[in-house]
Amino acid sequence: MRIYLTVIDDAPEAEIALRFAARRAVKTGGGVEILALVEQGEFIAFGGVQATIEDEALRRAESLVAKAAGTLMQEAGLRPSITVRQGDGPKIIREIIAGNPQVAALVLGAAPEGAPGPLVTHFAGQAGALPVPLMIIPGNLDRDAIDRLS
């Protein structure tokens, strides 16, 4: 099965990338894997405070993923795979791609204005070295445009 890997966060362009990935998955008989990244926090001398901050970040990421999965089920009838990981985003994405031969593409959303975002910047600069295609979805597309293009 062809899997479209996408990263979800609270940026609007993440939802656009997710919609594009879902539409492609439906049209190709594939699936979607949603990845929520939890950044590794700076070391704080008081372990309890650090644990609380990390726990809150993890719960927030899980909430984003649950919402995105619900949207996919409702709008596309897809049951996505869900991954929540903490650490370096590009490294985690490469590990997921390397560990799952069914991943057919990495789908990322670019911010509609200014810098495209850290993951887009990172992977666009190294797209030739990726073992799968990189699909960068412009953040200024509306739902009709996404549906037409996907």
Side-chain angles (χ1 to χ4, degrees):
M1 176 190 302
R2 181 178 295 188
I3 302 293
Y4 295 89
L5 173 62
T6 189
V7 180
I8 194 76
D9 59 19
D10 55 2
E13 58 268 18
E15 290 182 29
I16 290 169
L18 179 61
R19 183 170 183 85
F20 184 90
R23 302 272 306 167
R24 289 299 312 147
V26 167
K27 288 184 178 183
T28 62
V32 174
E33 181 164 352
I34 302 172
L35 171 63
L37 295 169
V38 179
E39 290 189 27
Q40 192 94 25
E42 292 182 29
F43 177 75
I44 299 174
F46 301 100
V49 172
Q50 184 169 357
T52 300
I53 291 169
E54 289 176 357
D55 186 52
E56 287 175 4
L58 180 62
R59 277 190 267 133
R60 185 169 172 266
E62 289 172 344
S63 174
L64 281 170
V65 170
K67 179 183 173 199
T71 299
L72 276 184
M73 286 292 295
Q74 184 178 32
E75 292 185 7
L78 286 175
R79 173 172 245 112
S81 297
I82 296 172
T83 304
V84 178
R85 300 260 309 264
Q86 182 176 19
D88 179 53
K91 181 180 177 189
I92 292 169
I93 290 169
R94 289 181 191 286
E95 289 172 358
I96 290 172
I97 292 171
N100 186 349
Q102 292 182 326
V103 173
L106 173 60
V107 183
L108 299 174
E113 295 178 0
L119 290 177
V120 172
T121 300
H122 176 84
F123 284 107
Q126 299 181 9
L130 283 172
V132 298
L134 170 64
M135 297 177 171
I136 300 173
I137 313 306
N140 65 344
L141 296 178
D142 62 21
R143 293 171 68 92
D144 291 336
I146 293 168
D147 293 352
R148 187 178 65 253
L149 294 170
S150 61

